[in-house]
């Protein structure tokens, strides 16, 4: 059973599979993950041009983990507008 967080290998598999046109559901099956996990990963880490980059996603995960989670502005829309 996979851990609660995606590994760098899993993120690379997602990137490669997307480039090959594999569906999110098929990616989830191949990784043994729930499809919503893949959907959330893609939503959280889509680039400005809509592309997914595994290295950028992993670096973002490590940065957020170092500060203890999501930044406050990501949790509160009004705070985000204010900032």
């Amino acid at each position: 059973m996979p851990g609660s967080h995606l590994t760098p290998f899993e993120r690379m598999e997602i990137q490669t599979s997307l480039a090959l046109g594999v569906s999110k559901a098929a990616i989830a099956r191949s990784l043994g993950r729930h499809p919503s996990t893949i959907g959330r990963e893609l939503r959280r880490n889509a680039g400005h041009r809509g592309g997914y980059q595994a290295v950028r996603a992993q670096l973002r995960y490590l940065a957020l983990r170092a500060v203890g989670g999501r930044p406050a502005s990501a949790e509160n829309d009004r705070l985000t507008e204010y900032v």
Side-chain angles (χ1 to χ4, degrees):
M1 176 166 178
S4 62
H5 300 282
L6 292 172
T7 66
F9 172 79
E10 288 174 315
R11 288 189 168 97
M12 269 318 237
E13 284 293 311
I14 292 169
Q15 180 179 329
T16 303
S17 297
L18 288 172
L20 295 172
V22 178
S23 72
K24 289 185 268 188
I27 294 169
R29 278 192 304 274
S30 72
L31 295 176
R33 297 286 189 158
H34 195 277
S36 65
T37 301
I38 305 305
R40 280 192 307 272
E41 175 69 8
L42 296 175
R43 192 171 50 254
R44 286 180 186 142
N45 294 300
H48 294 304
R49 296 185 180 134
Y52 178 81
Q53 293 182 355
V55 172
R56 181 178 29 185
Q58 182 67 20
L59 291 174
R60 182 174 184 270
Y61 162 72
L62 293 172
L64 290 175
R65 191 174 104 183
V67 296
R70 297 186 319 186
S73 60
E75 294 177 17
N76 186 324
D77 290 339
R78 286 192 348 183
L79 178 59
T80 301
E81 289 174 16
Y82 178 77
V83 174

